[in-house]
Amino acid sequence: MKKAVVILSGGMDSTTAAYIAKSEGYEIVALHFDYRQRTQKREHEAFDAICNSLKVVNRYVIDLPFFEHIGASALTDKSIDVPTGGIEAGVPVTYVPFRNGIFLSIAAAVAEKEGAEALYIGVVEEDSSGYPDCRENFIDAIERAIDLGTKDDTKIAIKTPLVHLKKEDIVKTAIEYGVPLELTWSCYKNEDEACGVCDSCRLRLKGFEKAGLKDPIPYKVN
């Protein structure tokens, strides 16, 4: 069976991408990163639960402690507060410098080792939080770089099935593919009940509201 490496954070977007990969006939190699993010434990739990639901056997969990040393993000630097006042224009303080570039580089190494022909990532450009490493032109550029930096017989296509969707469309797509949304976790701040007010929670809740559905995970504020 053909293989695909799926970068799986445990959030709604990456989980939906994983279910799409499965529906397209790929054997999933699941890849998760612990990078000292605020909700690391909860995201890791979501990753394990989602892999179990997908019956994924081949799982990689890569520890990246250096993100904490780099800092400059509210997700990895506890001295920077996660904003809760609403989504603002520009790149937010929750942006982790070049995170997806680093993730994709490691994923390419795993894909080459595993003989995978595809790499799925749940980036969303139009309705994301303004992260520059979620843009389609960036993904296209790094795909070319990976092609140049791997063996001649290694061909890895980066697949971004959600990149042009709005959050409500992602919710609808998740339902269509039978994604167990109750297992996913998106909150930037909390690990017990989602805060409901960080950018990630706001985008997720807005998506469910516009889709006419109720989010199945617990919230402190909803």
Side-chain angles (χ1 to χ4, degrees):
M1 182 182 288
K2 59 185 182 178
K3 289 184 182 179
V5 173
V6 179
I7 298 176
L8 185 55
S9 68
M12 179 171 67
D13 300 345
S14 67
T15 304
T16 302
Y19 270 76
I20 291 172
K22 183 179 180 181
S23 77
E24 293 177 349
Y26 288 97
E27 175 190 342
I28 293 174
V29 179
L31 176 58
H32 182 75
F33 297 100
D34 287 337
Y35 58 98
R36 304 302 186 269
Q37 66 272 39
R38 287 175 184 265
T39 56
Q40 175 175 297
K41 180 175 178 290
R42 185 63 185 83
E43 289 180 30
H44 198 141
E45 289 173 2
F47 167 77
D48 284 336
I50 292 154
C51 283
N52 291 341
S53 75
L54 284 165
K55 297 181 172 55
V56 174
V57 175
N58 200 353
R59 311 176 189 186
Y60 287 77
V61 177
I62 307 292
D63 190 38
L64 301 177
F66 61 82
F67 276 113
E68 185 177 31
H69 296 294
I70 294 171
S73 169
L75 298 192
T76 57
D77 185 341
K78 302 301 191 296
S79 70
I80 303 173
D81 291 334
V82 173
T84 59
I87 298 166
E88 299 179 355
V91 179
V93 295
T94 51
Y95 166 65
V96 179
F98 204 60
R99 178 179 60 181
N100 282 342
I102 293 165
F103 285 2
L104 286 164
S105 297
I106 295 170
V110 173
E112 187 166 41
K113 177 239 180 176
E114 291 285 346
E117 62 186 61
L119 200 170
Y120 281 74
I121 182 169
V123 293
V124 182
E125 181 174 302
E126 184 176 2
D127 200 25
S128 69
S129 294
Y131 297 159
D133 57 355
C134 288
R135 294 181 296 204
E136 187 175 34
N137 58 2
F138 167 72
I139 299 297
D140 291 343
I142 203 162
E143 182 182 66
R144 291 195 297 273
I146 288 169
D147 187 53
L148 290 170
T150 51
K151 294 179 294 186
D152 289 344
D153 59 352
T154 297
K155 299 299 176 187
I156 303 167
I158 301 180
K159 295 182 176 282
T160 56
L162 312 180
V163 70
H164 294 304
L165 298 185
K166 292 182 176 294
K167 267 291 191 277
E168 60 265 32
D169 297 320
I170 294 171
V171 172
K172 293 174 184 176
T173 301
I175 298 298
E176 177 187 345
Y177 282 90
V179 176
L181 292 169
E182 71 278 3
L183 300 181
T184 65
W185 196 255
S186 304
C187 183
Y188 287 154
K189 283 172 60 68
N190 298 340
E191 295 188 304
D192 49 357
E193 294 178 308
C195 72
V197 290
C198 70
D199 287 358
S200 184
C201 282
R202 288 178 185 273
L203 283 167
R204 178 171 171 143
L205 285 168
K206 175 187 170 187
F208 273 91
E209 180 183 359
K210 288 195 168 185
L213 297 166
K214 180 174 174 54
D215 193 340
I217 69 169
Y219 284 87
K220 287 184 180 296
V221 179
N222 190 344

